[in-house]
Amino acid sequence: MKIKAQMSMVLNLDKCLGCHTCSIPCKNAWTTDPGSEYMWFNNVETKPGIGYPRLWENQDIHKGGWEVENGKLRLRAGGKLRKAAQIFGNPNLPGMDQYYEPWNYDYQNLTTSPEQKHQPIARAYSSVTGRPMTPQAGPNWDDDLAGTQVTGLDDPDFAGLDAQALLQFQRVFMLHLPRLCEHCLNPACVASCPSGAIYKRDEDGIVLTDQTRCRSWRFCMSGCPYKKVYFNWKNHHSQKCIFCYPRVESGQPTLCAQSCTGRIRYIGVMLYDADAVHELAATPDPAALYEAQLRVFLDPRDPAVIRQAEKDGIPHQFLTAARNSPVYTLISDWKLALPLHPEFRTMPMVWYIPPASPLTNETDIDIDTQLDAMRIPVRYLANLFTVGREEPVRDALRKILALRRFMREKTFSGPDAAQALETAGMTPESAAAMYRLLAVARYEDRFVIPTVRREDAPGEDVEALKGHTGYPDRDPVAPEFKGVHA
């Protein structure tokens, strides 16, 4: 057993407002250089919808992530030989039109236009070509169901459901899905890069890009099933979410978590068995991958785990943070949070609490009946988080509904919550603790982040890493491929 630490995040979709406040500071801080106009390291998608880039969930098209062949993991897009054959023409690479062609509006025309009979307009001009254009897509083209009447039928998460019926006005539903790089335990982007430019930090698991080694092959883009690696069309480098590592190293949360008005984000440390990752990621039955990933996590309160972690060089501050981690509580203790598309086999480390939704009929009957009366079908959420298995989603939603009933009884003398708590496997004490963390958690309860010193990182040459983890406006472009067009 080899124990490693991983910075992780949980998002409570039951409280997401869809306000995009998380996306703006991320955009302003990390993607302001030319060529990154279309990049959103954090974006908030509306479901149902096809997302950004278009149909990113459909790996029959994009060939991202891993698959199992003869009991072993292999990249869905193929190994070294196939990549060598396709190195100058990657057939699985999403084009810019699948993201969107960035544009600016000619606002100056509104102020400089001479007097005329008709109102002047601010026409859209492409940031790439400079020519007039009509926008056809964006980072959330389905925003609040605006485009869902056109794109909704192509949503892969409708598998096993009547999408046509569920998109009718009387039955349509909506949820917001904030997305960022998953900083996976088994990242396909790292395995796909021929030049080794993308790597996973040993001390905290954050996945970064060494821009001085990037050779513009862009296999990382097609290899990532979540499509959270981007290509800067101006400087010809790959760029991605860096989990705000300069902030995290000083004990501060990421910008998206810091700015979230709904306080839906939790950040903490997870300990995991690195030796078990590949074996569990290769679990033959895709429906068992959620439980497989739970098994890779280790209990930070177990004395045996603590002793082994100390032997493996895990710093004391990481072990303390892991014991107090809200992420571990939500994922492993309460089993409220679920992984996004575990069938990609990358073992993602940004997890989600599924949203409860209004009931299609007014009822105050037992909780299991309420689950079937929810506007968001449980099967849809199961396709999103547990490869179609409904029971883990139902367990999480039972706890959320039982908690609501418990607090309603406590505050307003509502219906008896004892049976609901028992059905959900909860006690009044655990319900009170869950309420404190989900509803009224303090800043220091939501973000338990140990400080990190790079010189303490085990097994790394710190001098060799200097200047290799930033972005083009912060790191020099390698002279040997300045001006190279891939």
Side-chain angles (χ1 to χ4, degrees), residues 413-426:
S413 298
D416 180 32
Q419 183 178 359
L421 290 178
E422 184 178 347
T423 301
M426 299 165 61

Side-chain angles (χ1 to χ4, degrees), residues 22 47 112 138 157 308 319 361 406 429:
C22 52
K47 301 291 288 180
T112 61
D157 297 313
Q308 184 61 44
L319 296 179
N361 53 68
F406 171 76
E429 292 75 22

Side-chain angles (χ1 to χ4, degrees), residues 10 17 124 168 278 307 311 356 366-367 388 439 456:
V10 166
L17 308 172
Q168 296 300 313
H278 281 191
R307 286 193 299 271
K311 290 180 181 178
D366 67 278
I367 285 181
D456 291 339

Side-chain angles (χ1 to χ4, degrees), residues 70-90:
N70 298 324
K72 294 183 179 180
L73 283 177
R74 64 180 294 272
L75 290 168
R76 187 181 288 269
K80 294 180 181 179
L81 291 178
R82 184 179 297 181
K83 283 183 169 53
Q86 299 172 344
I87 201 162
F88 295 110
N90 184 351

Side-chain angles (χ1 to χ4, degrees), residues 161-323:
L161 296 167
D162 187 348
Q164 191 75 55
L166 290 169
L167 289 174
Q168 296 300 313
F169 179 76
Q170 295 86 350
R171 298 184 62 187
V172 72
F173 61 92
M174 181 179 75
L175 68 132
H176 298 294
L177 181 69
R179 292 209 306 117
L180 63 154
C181 171
E182 296 283 339
H183 297 277
C184 307
L185 299 183
N186 185 36
C189 60
V190 173
S192 298
C193 179
S195 60
I198 294 188
Y199 64 99
K200 188 172 179 65
R201 295 211 308 189
D202 191 75
E203 69 268 31
D204 55 17
I206 295 174
V207 178
L208 297 174
T209 304
D210 179 346
Q211 303 237 319
T212 64
R213 298 183 65 178
C214 178
R215 295 299 181 266
S216 310
W217 300 123
R218 291 176 282 181
F219 285 110
C220 54
M221 293 177 62
S222 53
C224 172
Y226 301 97
K227 293 297 170 280
K228 279 299 177 181
V229 184
Y230 305 91
F231 184 70
N232 187 306
W233 53 271
K234 198 76 172 179
N235 63 35
H236 315 294
H237 291 168
S238 291
Q239 296 179 209
K240 63 177 294 298
C241 160
I242 61 173
F243 210 76
C244 291
Y245 74 88
R247 292 175 58 89
V248 169
E249 287 178 0
S250 62
Q252 301 178 76
T254 61
L255 285 169
C256 58
Q258 176 79 46
S259 62
C260 177
T261 56
R263 300 183 180 183
I264 75 166
R265 301 190 185 222
Y266 302 81
I267 297 177
V269 175
M270 297 288 282
L271 300 181
Y272 69 98
D273 182 3
D275 290 339
V277 168
H278 281 191
E279 177 187 350
L280 293 174
T283 299
D285 182 8
L289 286 167
Y290 162 60
E291 284 81 4
Q293 187 164 354
L294 285 180
R295 292 200 300 275
V296 85
F297 298 139
L298 302 173
D299 186 351
R301 299 174 290 254
D302 185 339
V305 170
I306 295 172
R307 286 193 299 271
Q308 184 61 44
E310 290 172 343
K311 290 180 181 178
D312 290 336
I314 305 298
H316 174 73
Q317 64 265 35
F318 268 76
L319 296 179
T320 302
R323 286 193 290 272

Side-chain angles (χ1 to χ4, degrees), residues 5-6 103 108 149 157 246 268 288 295 363 377 383 396 432 437:
Q6 171 78 40
W103 71 87
Q108 191 174 8
Q149 76 278 5
D157 297 313
R295 292 200 300 275
T363 178
N383 289 338
L437 187 58

